[in-house]
Amino acid sequence: MALVTFSGYPCSGKTRRATQLKDHLECRLADPSYKGPSLKVIVLSDDTLNVDRTSYDDSRSEKPARAVLFTAVQRQMGRDTILIIDALNYIKGFRYQLYCAAREFKLRVCTVYVVTTPELCKRWNGERPDGHRYAPETLDNLIARYEEPSSMVRWDSPLFTVPWSDSDIPIELMWSAITEGNVKPPNAGTQAVQKAPSDALHTLEHVSTSLVSAIMAEQVARGVPGGRVTLSLSETLKPRLTLPARSLTLSELQRMKRQFVTVHKKAITLGTVEKGTVDWSEESVADKFVDYLEEYLKA
């Protein structure tokens, strides 16, 4: 349904705002006047995932902590869930990663930027109990490295800025974004890669070799170069090809065949994100090679 990403300095009050949002949403979803789909509200945070504050003391321990959060986010994403991410999310690259995951699941997105002064964050950090506070040097480092969200970039939009002095969040606007906002389709970078069948390389090599042999045989049988010909590769596979007004040599055809195979090997071994169904049948490969030859011979 939706992914709500909270962002802000450490100890800036993100958890309080996330709790406010969760309470508002659950209240509205339980209201008899609500006629929409049945939804659940889930909050993921360092506390719910048992990520210790010391994980942010250095980059080597911070990366696994972010990986734990991202894995949990992917596990909880769903069309029946409003997922609230109550974490630092201070790196724009990580917010973009969350945005791409949401697009893959076809979820609505929004970002909540909780604004608090560094002085207040330091004071509130000092008031926290042991195990829930950051080391002073870690807090200073995280504040210095913080990358502020921007409504000008797609992965932070729509962006709701909530100052520490506000008593509540802009629930009306956020409710609209969560329940009525645009759902952006997955892009090429977020779509699953389609893999070719296991025999695709064999089909590619076999069909292109057979076509070369058929062309050479057809030229000998016709005696006259050029014209539209039908090449018989099997009882059902009979591609048509327009030959140039000259005889093609075996070495020339083999060179074009090697180029064709090389071009398509990458798509087979690494996968492809072409639109529509990727077809590696003998008929499809034959048609591709015929098109390749005719394009080459026109040049």
Side-chain angles (χ1 to χ4, degrees):
M1 178 63 171
L3 175 71
V4 183
T5 303
F6 276 77
S7 182
Y9 290 155
C11 307
S12 59
K14 295 185 297 298
T15 297
R16 178 167 70 97
R17 302 303 187 180
T19 301
Q20 287 178 336
L21 177 60
K22 183 175 186 292
D23 291 344
H24 280 303
L25 292 175
E26 289 181 336
C27 183
R28 294 199 173 205
L29 293 171
D31 192 290
S33 63
Y34 173 70
K35 303 300 182 183
S38 177
L39 301 172
K40 57 186 176 181
V41 183
I42 296 177
V43 177
L44 289 179
S45 68
D46 287 344
D47 290 334
T48 62
L49 298 173
N50 297 315
V51 175
D52 196 273
R53 299 298 189 277
T54 58
S55 300
Y56 297 95
D57 289 347
D58 61 76
S59 59
R60 275 190 293 183
S61 59
E62 183 181 338
K63 288 180 180 179
R66 284 202 303 271
V68 168
L69 175 61
F70 186 70
T71 300
V73 168
Q74 289 182 301
R75 189 180 302 119
Q76 294 292 348
M77 281 181 172
R79 303 301 295 274
D80 63 342
T81 302
I82 300 175
L83 187 57
I84 300 171
I85 312 302
D86 171 24
L88 292 179
N89 301 321
Y90 71 98
I91 300 173
K92 61 184 179 182
F94 184 66
R95 294 197 299 270
Y96 176 70
Q97 191 176 5
L98 292 172
Y99 165 80
C100 288
R103 285 189 65 170
E104 186 174 352
F105 280 87
K106 298 182 180 179
L107 307 182
R108 295 181 176 91
V109 296
C110 69
T111 303
V112 183
Y113 177 25
V114 181
V115 180
T116 310
T117 64
E119 292 72 22
L120 269 177
C121 292
K122 293 175 183 179
R123 193 182 85 190
W124 291 342
N125 181 62
E127 295 171 354
R128 287 185 169 187
D130 290 340
H132 290 272
R133 69 177 63 154
Y134 299 90
E137 58 274 15
T138 300
L139 183 63
D140 289 337
N141 184 35
L142 289 172
I143 290 175
R145 292 163 53 202
Y146 184 77
E147 296 176 336
E148 184 177 322
S150 170
S151 60
M152 301 297 291
V153 297
R154 62 188 183 279
W155 58 88
D156 287 333
S157 299
L159 176 65
F160 302 98
T161 301
V162 183
W164 65 272
S165 56
D166 285 5
S167 60
D168 207 346
I169 57 174
I171 185 58
E172 294 297 337
L173 295 174
M174 295 183 67
W175 173 258
S176 178
I178 291 170
T179 60
E180 302 173 6
N182 294 329
V183 178
K184 297 181 179 179
N187 56 24
T190 65
Q191 292 185 47
V193 175
Q194 297 180 342
K195 292 295 184 181
S198 58
D199 62 345
L201 279 173
H202 170 76
T203 302
L204 181 68
E205 185 70 34
H206 171 71
V207 172
S208 56
T209 299
S210 298
L211 261 170
V212 168
S213 299
I215 292 171
M216 292 300 297
E218 184 66 25
Q219 288 189 139
V220 172
R222 285 170 61 87
V224 180
R228 189 75 169 167
V229 298
T230 299
L231 305 173
S232 181
L233 303 186
S234 67
E235 292 184 1
T236 58
L237 188 57
K238 300 179 184 295
R240 292 179 61 81
L241 170 69
T242 300
L243 294 173
R246 62 180 179 85
S247 294
L248 298 172
T249 65
L250 178 60
S251 61
E252 184 180 11
L253 287 170
Q254 287 179 334
R255 183 175 67 254
M256 287 186 284
K257 175 234 171 186
R258 286 194 299 269
Q259 292 171 347
F260 173 78
V261 170
T262 300
V263 166
H264 288 82
K265 263 187 177 180
K266 185 176 181 180
I268 292 175
T269 56
L270 300 181
T272 177
V273 291
E274 293 177 11
K275 292 183 178 180
T277 303
V278 179
D279 187 359
W280 292 103
S281 65
E282 289 188 348
E283 182 179 358
S284 176
V285 172
D287 290 341
K288 287 177 186 287
F289 191 29
V290 165
D291 291 342
Y292 183 86
L293 288 173
E294 290 185 337
E295 187 66 27
Y296 177 88
L297 295 172
K298 285 179 184 176

